[in-house]
Amino acid sequence: MQSYTTDTSYDGFRLSAFIQEEADRLASMQLSNGALPLNPLVLGKSVRICPYFSSFAALALLSASPSYNGNVRRYIEWYFAHLNTAGSDYNGLDGTIYDYTIKESDAGLAEAPLCDETETPVYDSTDSYAALFLTVLAEYGEKTGDLETLRRYQEEIGRVIRAMLGTLDKGLTYARPDYPVKYTMDNCETARGLSSAFRLSRFIPGLDGEALHRAYRKVTQAIERCLWNRNLGYYEVGLDGRNTPVTQTFDWKRFYPDAMAQAFPILMEVQPPGSGRAQYLYRELTGQFPPAAMEGDLLLNAGMLALLAAQMGDADTARKYLDIHRQAFCQSGQGGRISCQVYALGLLAASILQAQSAGTAACTA
């Protein structure tokens, strides 16, 4: 991949156009059954559905415009229709969801769980998939007011919450029952999932808001107590089953997984933008990976860094990252080059910037 320079003329009008184009891109990828695939479906070929990535796409569509609310509702319905039971989940954990492959033919869509070389169905995690989906549900309920749809799935929402917490151990979740690693990224997502579930409890009967809030506090406290390395000033990538760091040597210059793990406490709102910890992590991340360094494989992370900067209120830097992301992946004829999640991160960043710009204009009017 080549490197890109920033376009300083990237103004509010073009920001609106970018949001429209990227939301249309994600919406156009949605299949007739409601699934949001990693990449556009090509007739006669299989496409992968990773619900974790799909939930980022759904969140991005919700951020763009109410005109995409129907797309998100159809994704929600697809997700609930594919929940595993304890009997169908290979770990015996109810409320999980597998990755899927879907192929289109003249007979329609044919879908099946994605399997590994041993013919075992695949999901990357049980905590993060559930957590991101709960955030989709909370955002959908609050932005659309379509509580009837969510209440129809009251029982299933409870199952998803239990799946998210099904690997909880001493305040932190393992990625999945058969992969006992307590990742910082996953646990930040779990914290946001619990926060989202608490929001859902305000309008979904049967959810114990007080218990969810207590669980949120326990997870966030455990993140700080167990995953923050106070001596060296970084979050561990994760801890294994013996509570030993999964990476022997942390390296700020290694974006994935080391540096990325430092972004997630901010991205998942575990650390508020005004906190000293968030400010410190943001300075380190943008110092190690400034816009000028976005080249080669690092270009894939420009959208995430744009979202990080936008959440920190650093609009100028966010626009620089976002313009690099736009030039690298969003120009005419470049569709499908990256996953739906990477497109979604850029759209989420742009939506925050647009909202901040509108807020600034209202204050100065």
Side-chain angles (χ1 to χ4, degrees):
M1 292 182 178
Q2 67 187 89
S3 60
Y4 292 82
T5 57
T6 58
D7 178 358
T8 56
S9 65
Y10 199 50
D11 57 24
F13 173 78
R14 292 186 61 194
L15 191 62
S16 297
F18 174 83
I19 290 171
Q20 183 71 58
E21 291 165 2
E22 293 307 285
D24 285 346
R25 182 199 305 278
L26 288 175
S28 71
M29 292 169 62
Q30 188 168 33
L31 306 182
S32 59
N33 65 358
L36 287 165
L38 265 69
N39 305 102
L41 180 65
V42 177
L43 183 65
K45 294 186 178 181
S46 295
V47 67
R48 181 175 177 178
I49 313 296
C50 175
Y52 175 79
F53 290 164
S54 301
S55 289
F56 274 104
L59 288 170
L61 288 170
L62 284 172
S63 77
S65 165
S67 62
Y68 302 100
N69 290 347
N71 299 85
V72 178
R73 187 194 71 252
R74 291 192 295 275
Y75 167 64
I76 289 170
E77 293 169 342
W78 178 88
Y79 191 108
F80 280 131
H82 291 75
L83 287 185
N84 297 321
T85 64
S88 63
D89 178 83
Y90 76 92
N91 281 305
L93 182 59
D94 179 56
T96 63
I97 188 170
Y98 291 134
D99 286 15
Y100 277 79
T101 58
I102 297 183
K103 187 175 182 178
E104 185 176 31
S105 66
D106 293 338
L109 294 177
E111 60 181 353
L114 178 69
C115 294
D116 63 17
E117 62 278 2
T118 68
E119 298 303 315
T120 302
V122 168
Y123 44 50
D124 186 64
S125 69
T126 54
D127 54 359
S128 292
Y129 281 37
L132 262 293
F133 184 62
L134 289 167
T135 300
V136 171
L137 296 180
E139 291 289 318
Y140 177 82
E142 291 171 355
K143 290 189 175 182
T144 70
D146 179 16
L147 305 186
E148 180 181 353
T149 294
L150 297 182
R151 287 170 180 158
R152 192 165 70 242
Y153 293 106
Q154 174 185 337
E155 180 181 347
E156 288 83 355
I157 291 172
R159 293 170 61 199
V160 172
I161 293 171
R162 289 190 291 274
M164 177 178 67
L165 299 178
T167 58
L168 190 65
D169 176 73
K170 298 184 177 74
L172 296 173
T173 54
Y174 291 121
R176 59 178 195 256
D178 61 328
Y179 196 77
V181 177
K182 299 174 179 179
Y183 285 111
T184 290
M185 287 185 277
D186 288 46
N187 277 277
C188 288
E189 288 163 338
T190 295
R192 188 172 182 186
L194 284 165
S195 175
S196 298
F198 173 75
R199 290 157 60 193
L200 286 168
S201 73
R202 297 169 179 168
F203 45 80
I204 302 297
L207 297 183
D208 188 338
E210 291 186 6
L212 290 165
H213 185 65
R214 286 196 302 270
Y216 167 79
R217 288 180 59 83
K218 288 181 179 178
V219 170
T220 54
Q221 289 168 359
I223 289 172
E224 296 307 303
R225 184 177 67 253
C226 303
L227 292 168
W228 175 249
N229 188 321
R230 63 175 60 88
N231 294 324
L232 298 177
Y234 58 78
Y235 286 97
E236 301 289 354
V237 170
L239 303 175
D240 63 21
R242 297 169 297 177
N243 286 323
T244 302
V246 294
T247 54
Q248 293 184 347
T249 304
F250 178 87
D251 187 354
W252 273 105
K253 297 184 182 300
R254 185 167 52 220
F255 192 87
Y256 181 83
D258 302 43
M260 189 183 289
Q262 315 313 306
F264 267 63
I266 302 171
L267 291 173
M268 294 296 125
E269 302 175 356
V270 173
Q271 287 291 337
S275 71
R277 178 74 54 77
Q279 297 286 337
Y280 160 72
L281 292 172
Y282 180 67
R283 286 195 303 271
E284 290 293 324
L285 283 162
T286 53
Q288 294 287 346
F289 304 98
M294 293 293 103
E295 58 183 6
D297 290 341
L298 279 178
L299 284 169
L300 291 168
N301 304 302
M304 178 179 290
L305 289 168
L307 177 58
L308 180 73
Q311 287 188 208
M312 290 296 294
D314 185 357
D316 289 342
T317 302
R319 286 173 181 267
K320 291 176 182 178
Y321 284 122
L322 188 59
D323 199 43
I324 291 167
H325 166 84
R326 180 184 66 88
Q327 291 182 62
F329 303 116
C330 306
Q331 302 285 19
S332 177
Q334 295 182 345
R337 291 185 58 204
I338 52 179
S339 73
C340 63
Q341 183 213 24
V342 181
Y343 282 121
L345 292 171
L347 176 51
L348 284 165
S351 296
I352 290 175
L353 289 173
Q354 185 181 57
Q356 290 172 345
S357 178
T360 300
C363 290
T364 58

